[in-house]
Amino acid sequence: GGAGMGGGPPEERKCIEREGAMATEEMKGIIRRAIRFEEDSYKLYTSASRRVKDPGAKAGLAELAREEKKHKAKLEGMLAGNLDWAVSVGRRARVKDLRIGGPLEARPISEQSSLGDVLAVAIKREEATGAFYSQMASLVDPGPAKDLFETLAKEETKHKRYVERIYEEDVYKEF
């Protein structure tokens, strides 16, 4: 879309369009990574809900798994749509700095992992994903994408608090 770009020389316009296409590709990569992240969180909560003894916690973790599945669907919808809205020209350089998943791979979950291990990983995950979605919200222009990222950031923060509560009630009190 050249509309609104104004009357710069054609080569300048081409450069901006090329940067736009690059930013769109980077955005797609970032969203795909976020989708994989939501898939991993879904698996984590499904696994945790099987291990936890408390019926309330079991139901809560199963609900978190369902919410992560919904997040994935929203992100896939965004990916399927037009991503040209993505990032305003001034913020494009910052897209490269986005980090998701740093501390998360720290402790892999296995069948032998305790509930405490699983919940500790879940807390780290929610913290990182929440921060990631907040960063995304700050990068994109006002509109449906910004709204979605802000909503996802809030939901991940809620998840984190919930998992921390389960951790305190189910794991911490056993010591």
Side-chain angles (χ1 to χ4, degrees), residues 55-89:
K58 198 178 271 295
L61 288 164
E63 177 56 32
L64 287 183
R66 281 192 294 277
E67 284 186 18
E68 300 296 5
K69 217 173 193 169
K70 282 185 209 147
H71 290 180
K72 179 188 170 193
K74 285 176 185 170
L75 290 163
E76 284 172 338
M78 185 183 270
L79 200 55
N82 177 0
L83 286 176
D84 289 345
W85 48 264
V87 179
S88 66
V89 179

Short mmCIF file of all heavy atoms in Angstrom, two decimals, residues 55-89:
data_model
loop_
_atom_site.label_atom_id
_atom_site.label_comp_id
_atom_site.label_asym_id
_atom_site.label_seq_id
_atom_site.Cartn_x
_atom_site.Cartn_y
_atom_site.Cartn_z
N PRO A 55 -8.43 -31.43 43.06
CA PRO A 55 -9.38 -31.36 41.93
C PRO A 55 -9.57 -29.94 41.38
O PRO A 55 -9.74 -29.77 40.17
CB PRO A 55 -10.70 -31.88 42.52
CG PRO A 55 -10.39 -32.39 43.88
CD PRO A 55 -9.03 -31.96 44.28
N GLY A 56 -9.52 -28.96 42.26
CA GLY A 56 -9.68 -27.56 41.81
C GLY A 56 -8.52 -27.14 40.93
O GLY A 56 -8.70 -26.53 39.87
N ALA A 57 -7.31 -27.50 41.37
CA ALA A 57 -6.11 -27.17 40.59
C ALA A 57 -6.13 -27.92 39.26
O ALA A 57 -5.77 -27.38 38.22
CB ALA A 57 -4.85 -27.52 41.39
N LYS A 58 -6.58 -29.19 39.31
CA LYS A 58 -6.67 -30.01 38.11
C LYS A 58 -7.57 -29.32 37.07
O LYS A 58 -7.20 -29.16 35.91
CB LYS A 58 -7.25 -31.38 38.49
CG LYS A 58 -7.02 -32.48 37.48
CD LYS A 58 -7.59 -33.80 37.98
CE LYS A 58 -6.65 -34.64 38.79
NZ LYS A 58 -5.48 -35.14 38.05
N ALA A 59 -8.73 -28.89 37.52
CA ALA A 59 -9.69 -28.21 36.63
C ALA A 59 -9.12 -26.89 36.14
O ALA A 59 -9.26 -26.54 34.96
CB ALA A 59 -11.01 -27.97 37.37
N GLY A 60 -8.44 -26.17 37.02
CA GLY A 60 -7.86 -24.87 36.65
C GLY A 60 -6.79 -25.00 35.59
O GLY A 60 -6.74 -24.22 34.64
N LEU A 61 -5.93 -26.00 35.76
CA LEU A 61 -4.86 -26.21 34.78
C LEU A 61 -5.43 -26.65 33.43
O LEU A 61 -4.94 -26.25 32.38
CB LEU A 61 -3.85 -27.24 35.32
CG LEU A 61 -2.96 -26.72 36.46
CD1 LEU A 61 -2.29 -27.88 37.18
CD2 LEU A 61 -1.91 -25.74 35.95
N ALA A 62 -6.47 -27.48 33.47
CA ALA A 62 -7.13 -27.90 32.23
C ALA A 62 -7.73 -26.68 31.53
O ALA A 62 -7.68 -26.57 30.30
CB ALA A 62 -8.20 -28.94 32.53
N GLU A 63 -8.26 -25.75 32.32
CA GLU A 63 -8.83 -24.52 31.76
C GLU A 63 -7.72 -23.66 31.13
O GLU A 63 -7.89 -23.10 30.05
CB GLU A 63 -9.56 -23.74 32.86
CG GLU A 63 -10.13 -22.40 32.44
CD GLU A 63 -11.08 -22.47 31.24
OE1 GLU A 63 -11.79 -23.48 31.07
OE2 GLU A 63 -11.11 -21.49 30.47
N LEU A 64 -6.56 -23.58 31.79
CA LEU A 64 -5.43 -22.83 31.22
C LEU A 64 -5.02 -23.44 29.88
O LEU A 64 -4.73 -22.72 28.93
CB LEU A 64 -4.22 -22.84 32.17
CG LEU A 64 -4.31 -21.97 33.43
CD1 LEU A 64 -3.01 -22.06 34.21
CD2 LEU A 64 -4.62 -20.52 33.09
N ALA A 65 -5.01 -24.77 29.82
CA ALA A 65 -4.66 -25.45 28.57
C ALA A 65 -5.63 -25.02 27.47
O ALA A 65 -5.22 -24.69 26.35
CB ALA A 65 -4.70 -26.97 28.76
N ARG A 66 -6.94 -24.97 27.80
CA ARG A 66 -7.94 -24.55 26.81
C ARG A 66 -7.70 -23.10 26.37
O ARG A 66 -7.85 -22.77 25.20
CB ARG A 66 -9.36 -24.71 27.37
CG ARG A 66 -9.86 -26.15 27.33
CD ARG A 66 -11.35 -26.25 27.62
NE ARG A 66 -11.70 -25.85 28.97
CZ ARG A 66 -11.62 -26.68 30.03
NH1 ARG A 66 -11.19 -27.92 29.89
NH2 ARG A 66 -11.95 -26.25 31.23
N GLU A 67 -7.33 -22.24 27.33
CA GLU A 67 -7.08 -20.84 26.99
C GLU A 67 -5.88 -20.70 26.07
O GLU A 67 -5.89 -19.88 25.15
CB GLU A 67 -6.90 -20.00 28.25
CG GLU A 67 -8.21 -19.73 28.95
CD GLU A 67 -8.08 -18.78 30.13
OE1 GLU A 67 -7.07 -18.06 30.24
OE2 GLU A 67 -9.01 -18.76 30.95
N GLU A 68 -4.84 -21.49 26.31
CA GLU A 68 -3.65 -21.42 25.45
C GLU A 68 -4.03 -21.84 24.03
O GLU A 68 -3.52 -21.30 23.05
CB GLU A 68 -2.51 -22.29 25.99
CG GLU A 68 -2.03 -21.93 27.39
CD GLU A 68 -1.39 -20.55 27.54
OE1 GLU A 68 -1.38 -19.75 26.59
OE2 GLU A 68 -0.89 -20.25 28.64
N LYS A 69 -4.94 -22.82 23.93
CA LYS A 69 -5.41 -23.27 22.62
C LYS A 69 -6.14 -22.13 21.90
O LYS A 69 -5.99 -21.94 20.70
CB LYS A 69 -6.36 -24.45 22.82
CG LYS A 69 -6.24 -25.49 21.75
CD LYS A 69 -7.08 -26.72 22.08
CE LYS A 69 -6.69 -27.87 21.17
NZ LYS A 69 -7.27 -29.13 21.59
N LYS A 70 -6.93 -21.35 22.66
CA LYS A 70 -7.64 -20.20 22.09
C LYS A 70 -6.64 -19.13 21.62
O LYS A 70 -6.82 -18.52 20.58
CB LYS A 70 -8.60 -19.58 23.11
CG LYS A 70 -9.88 -20.36 23.28
CD LYS A 70 -10.83 -19.60 24.22
CE LYS A 70 -11.72 -20.55 24.96
NZ LYS A 70 -12.07 -20.10 26.32
N HIS A 71 -5.60 -18.90 22.44
CA HIS A 71 -4.57 -17.93 22.06
C HIS A 71 -3.96 -18.35 20.71
O HIS A 71 -3.76 -17.53 19.83
CB HIS A 71 -3.44 -17.88 23.10
CG HIS A 71 -3.84 -17.25 24.39
ND1 HIS A 71 -2.97 -17.12 25.44
CD2 HIS A 71 -5.02 -16.72 24.81
CE1 HIS A 71 -3.60 -16.54 26.45
NE2 HIS A 71 -4.84 -16.30 26.09
N LYS A 72 -3.66 -19.65 20.60
CA LYS A 72 -3.06 -20.17 19.38
C LYS A 72 -3.98 -19.87 18.19
O LYS A 72 -3.53 -19.41 17.14
CB LYS A 72 -2.83 -21.68 19.52
CG LYS A 72 -2.22 -22.29 18.28
CD LYS A 72 -2.18 -23.81 18.35
CE LYS A 72 -1.79 -24.35 16.99
NZ LYS A 72 -2.01 -25.76 16.83
N ALA A 73 -5.29 -20.12 18.37
CA ALA A 73 -6.25 -19.88 17.29
C ALA A 73 -6.28 -18.40 16.89
O ALA A 73 -6.32 -18.06 15.70
CB ALA A 73 -7.64 -20.34 17.72
N LYS A 74 -6.21 -17.50 17.89
CA LYS A 74 -6.22 -16.06 17.59
C LYS A 74 -4.97 -15.67 16.80
O LYS A 74 -5.05 -14.90 15.85
CB LYS A 74 -6.26 -15.25 18.89
CG LYS A 74 -7.61 -15.25 19.56
CD LYS A 74 -7.56 -14.50 20.89
CE LYS A 74 -8.87 -14.60 21.62
NZ LYS A 74 -8.78 -14.10 23.00
N LEU A 75 -3.83 -16.22 17.21
CA LEU A 75 -2.58 -15.91 16.51
C LEU A 75 -2.59 -16.47 15.09
O LEU A 75 -2.13 -15.82 14.16
CB LEU A 75 -1.38 -16.47 17.30
CG LEU A 75 -1.08 -15.75 18.61
CD1 LEU A 75 -0.19 -16.60 19.50
CD2 LEU A 75 -0.43 -14.39 18.36
N GLU A 76 -3.15 -17.67 14.93
CA GLU A 76 -3.24 -18.27 13.59
C GLU A 76 -4.15 -17.42 12.70
O GLU A 76 -3.87 -17.25 11.52
CB GLU A 76 -3.76 -19.71 13.68
CG GLU A 76 -2.68 -20.66 14.16
CD GLU A 76 -3.19 -22.07 14.45
OE1 GLU A 76 -4.40 -22.24 14.69
OE2 GLU A 76 -2.36 -22.99 14.45
N GLY A 77 -5.20 -16.89 13.28
CA GLY A 77 -6.10 -16.00 12.54
C GLY A 77 -5.36 -14.76 12.07
O GLY A 77 -5.51 -14.30 10.93
N MET A 78 -4.51 -14.22 12.96
CA MET A 78 -3.73 -13.05 12.63
C MET A 78 -2.75 -13.38 11.50
O MET A 78 -2.56 -12.60 10.57
CB MET A 78 -2.97 -12.61 13.88
CG MET A 78 -2.22 -11.32 13.70
SD MET A 78 -1.28 -10.95 15.20
CE MET A 78 -2.46 -10.00 16.11
N LEU A 79 -2.14 -14.55 11.58
CA LEU A 79 -1.16 -14.98 10.59
C LEU A 79 -1.82 -15.16 9.22
O LEU A 79 -1.23 -14.86 8.19
CB LEU A 79 -0.54 -16.31 11.05
CG LEU A 79 0.79 -16.72 10.46
CD1 LEU A 79 1.83 -15.63 10.65
CD2 LEU A 79 1.28 -18.00 11.10
N ALA A 80 -3.06 -15.65 9.23
CA ALA A 80 -3.78 -15.90 7.99
C ALA A 80 -4.25 -14.59 7.34
O ALA A 80 -4.48 -14.52 6.15
CB ALA A 80 -4.98 -16.80 8.26
N GLY A 81 -4.36 -13.55 8.17
CA GLY A 81 -4.85 -12.27 7.66
C GLY A 81 -3.73 -11.49 7.00
O GLY A 81 -2.66 -12.00 6.71
N ASN A 82 -3.98 -10.20 6.82
CA ASN A 82 -3.01 -9.33 6.18
C ASN A 82 -2.13 -8.71 7.26
O ASN A 82 -2.63 -8.05 8.16
CB ASN A 82 -3.78 -8.24 5.42
CG ASN A 82 -2.85 -7.24 4.79
OD1 ASN A 82 -1.62 -7.35 4.91
ND2 ASN A 82 -3.41 -6.28 4.12
N LEU A 83 -0.84 -8.94 7.17
CA LEU A 83 0.05 -8.44 8.22
C LEU A 83 0.70 -7.11 7.84
O LEU A 83 1.64 -6.68 8.48
CB LEU A 83 1.15 -9.47 8.50
CG LEU A 83 0.68 -10.69 9.29
CD1 LEU A 83 1.82 -11.69 9.44
CD2 LEU A 83 0.19 -10.29 10.66
N ASP A 84 0.21 -6.46 6.81
CA ASP A 84 0.83 -5.20 6.42
C ASP A 84 0.66 -4.11 7.47
O ASP A 84 1.44 -3.17 7.54
CB ASP A 84 0.28 -4.69 5.08
CG ASP A 84 0.77 -5.56 3.93
OD1 ASP A 84 1.73 -6.33 4.15
OD2 ASP A 84 0.20 -5.47 2.84
N TRP A 85 -0.36 -4.26 8.32
CA TRP A 85 -0.56 -3.30 9.41
C TRP A 85 0.66 -3.30 10.30
O TRP A 85 0.93 -2.37 11.01
CB TRP A 85 -1.76 -3.70 10.28
CG TRP A 85 -1.70 -5.15 10.67
CD1 TRP A 85 -2.33 -6.17 10.05
CD2 TRP A 85 -0.90 -5.77 11.70
NE1 TRP A 85 -2.00 -7.36 10.61
CE2 TRP A 85 -1.13 -7.16 11.64
CE3 TRP A 85 -0.04 -5.28 12.67
CZ2 TRP A 85 -0.52 -8.06 12.49
CZ3 TRP A 85 0.58 -6.18 13.53
CH2 TRP A 85 0.33 -7.55 13.43
N ALA A 86 1.36 -4.43 10.23
CA ALA A 86 2.24 -4.88 11.29
C ALA A 86 2.89 -3.77 12.08
O ALA A 86 2.42 -3.43 13.16
CB ALA A 86 3.29 -5.82 10.72
N VAL A 87 3.96 -3.24 11.59
CA VAL A 87 4.76 -2.38 12.43
C VAL A 87 5.02 -1.09 11.68
O VAL A 87 5.43 -1.12 10.53
CB VAL A 87 6.10 -3.08 12.77
CG1 VAL A 87 6.97 -2.20 13.63
CG2 VAL A 87 5.84 -4.40 13.46
N SER A 88 4.78 0.03 12.34
CA SER A 88 5.02 1.29 11.66
C SER A 88 6.51 1.44 11.37
O SER A 88 7.35 0.90 12.09
CB SER A 88 4.52 2.44 12.53
OG SER A 88 5.33 2.51 13.68
N VAL A 89 6.81 2.17 10.34
CA VAL A 89 8.18 2.28 9.84
C VAL A 89 9.16 2.62 10.96
O VAL A 89 10.22 2.02 11.06
CB VAL A 89 8.25 3.36 8.72
CG1 VAL A 89 9.68 3.50 8.21
CG2 VAL A 89 7.34 2.97 7.56
#
